[in-house]
Amino acid sequence: MASQTLAVIGISNKKEKGWLKLATLNGTSWSDLGAHFDKIKFGGTFNEAGIYEIDFENTAEFGAMAAYSVTTANKIASFSELVALALSEE
């Protein structure tokens, strides 16, 4: 799957695998999306809500609903960084 620029709006580390709640930036999805991530590999990357560049793989078996897992990820900016930048430009 091609890399996607998405808003990470929620991060959970409660279970063995981490979970992301995602939203598209261009309105192509009518609802939020979700994906698992390896907490050891991406625990330092997914430390706050913000804008991320993410690659996924669909780990669902044939015929099952899609189940996405993060394969690569880079944080572009956290929401707090974007707000601070916007306020500094006023």
Side-chain angles (χ1 to χ4, degrees):
M1 179 178 253
S3 179
Q4 303 284 319
T5 302
L6 301 163
V8 172
I9 56 176
I11 303 167
S12 174
N13 287 302
K14 292 180 184 177
K15 296 188 177 182
E16 183 179 326
K17 286 188 175 184
W19 177 256
L20 299 175
K21 188 167 191 146
L22 307 161
T24 60
L25 300 178
N26 58 6
T28 58
S29 177
W30 283 61
S31 64
D32 58 10
L33 309 167
H36 285 103
F37 67 93
D38 181 327
K39 291 192 302 186
I40 294 170
K41 185 174 180 182
F42 297 109
T45 303
F46 297 120
N47 54 15
E48 58 187 326
I51 308 299
Y52 290 78
E53 189 76 25
I54 303 173
D55 286 319
F56 302 97
E57 68 178 345
N58 184 355
T59 58
E61 294 184 20
F62 181 77
M65 290 182 63
Y68 296 108
S69 184
V70 175
T71 56
T72 62
N74 292 304
K75 181 168 61 173
I76 296 170
S78 69
F79 291 139
S80 58
E81 291 168 339
L82 293 172
V83 169
L85 179 63
L87 292 174
S88 71
E89 293 180 358
E90 289 184 345

